[in-house]
Amino acid sequence: MTDFSNLPYRPNVGVALFNRDGKLFVARRADLPGEIWQCPQGGIDEGEDPRTAALRELAEETGCTQATVLAERPEWLAYDLPTGLIGRALGGKYRGQTQKWFVLGFEGTDSDIRLDLHLPAEFDLWEWIEPEDLLQRNLGFKQELYEKLLPELKTLYQAASSDWLRTNRA
C-alpha cells in the first residue's frame, strides 16, 4: 500500500450562502453518483486571498455575484480524502484539503443563480434549506466535516446577520 501521508493538503475555501430568510444554499454535485450535496467550495489560486477565492468560486459554481461576506471562520479545517481517492482526485497531488470557510449573505434573486455558466457544471440542482436539514442529505465522505462545521456556520450567520438584514431589506 502506498503511503500518502507526505502529500500536502490543497488550500480551499468553502461558502455558506444564506438568504434573508436564514436558509442555506445547497447544491447537488453533477459529477458524482449518488446525489451528493454540498455548499460551494473550491481551490485557492496561487497568490489569491481566501476571501477573493470564496467570491470567485461562488460566482464560478453558481453564477451568483450578489453576495456579501458576513463572517469568516477563524480556523482552517482540514480533511483527508477517502483512501480510494488519494493519488487520483485533486490531480493526485494532495491527500485532502484544508479549508477556510466564509458565511455570505445573498442579496440577489433566485434568478441570479445560474449553474450553467461554468462548464463543465459543478452542480445540476440547488435549493434553499433550513441549515440543520443539510445533515439529512447525502454529503458523501464530507458528512463528518459538515457535522462539525454546520453549528459554527449557523452561529457565525446569526451573529453577523442582524446588521446585514437591517440594511438589506428586499
Side-chain angles (χ1 to χ4, degrees):
M1 179 168 208
T2 306
D3 178 16
F4 294 108
S5 62
N6 61 335
L7 290 176
Y9 287 98
R10 176 182 177 230
N12 185 281
V13 290
V15 174
L17 180 66
F18 288 87
N19 68 14
R20 290 179 185 89
D21 296 325
K23 293 194 175 178
L24 179 67
F25 176 92
V26 296
R28 184 175 67 187
R29 294 288 304 247
D31 60 344
L32 297 176
E35 302 220 1
I36 308 287
W37 293 79
Q38 69 177 51
C39 294
Q41 65 176 56
I44 299 172
D45 292 340
E46 184 73 33
E48 187 177 34
D49 171 78
R51 181 178 293 234
T52 302
L55 294 169
R56 176 186 52 75
E57 283 293 333
L58 180 66
E60 285 179 7
E61 294 182 359
T62 70
C64 176
T65 58
Q66 305 297 314
T68 298
V69 176
L70 301 179
E72 175 180 334
R73 185 179 184 276
E75 299 87 22
W76 290 78
L77 182 64
Y79 70 86
D80 288 330
L81 291 167
T83 306
L85 293 179
I86 297 176
R88 293 185 347 187
L90 304 176
K93 299 186 285 189
Y94 304 97
R95 66 186 288 182
Q97 300 192 101
T98 181
Q99 296 183 312
K100 174 63 90 165
W101 277 85
F102 293 86
V103 172
L104 277 66
F106 180 61
E107 297 181 343
T109 62
D110 286 356
S111 64
D112 292 322
I113 297 175
R114 297 275 313 274
L115 303 181
D116 61 342
L117 296 179
H118 184 270
L119 296 176
E122 181 111 5
F123 303 118
D124 63 3
L125 186 66
W126 68 272
E127 292 181 51
W128 294 111
I129 64 170
E130 295 297 333
E132 53 276 1
D133 291 345
L134 178 61
L135 299 179
Q136 306 310 309
R137 301 287 173 115
N138 181 359
L139 303 171
F141 67 85
K142 295 179 185 171
Q143 180 76 34
E144 286 183 32
L145 172 86
Y146 280 107
E147 287 172 359
K148 174 180 177 33
L149 193 59
L150 190 61
E152 295 177 48
L153 296 174
K154 282 175 47 178
T155 299
L156 286 170
Y157 172 74
Q158 289 164 349
S161 64
S162 60
D163 287 342
W164 173 70
L165 289 171
R166 193 171 31 257
T167 59
N168 289 286
R169 290 257 186 305

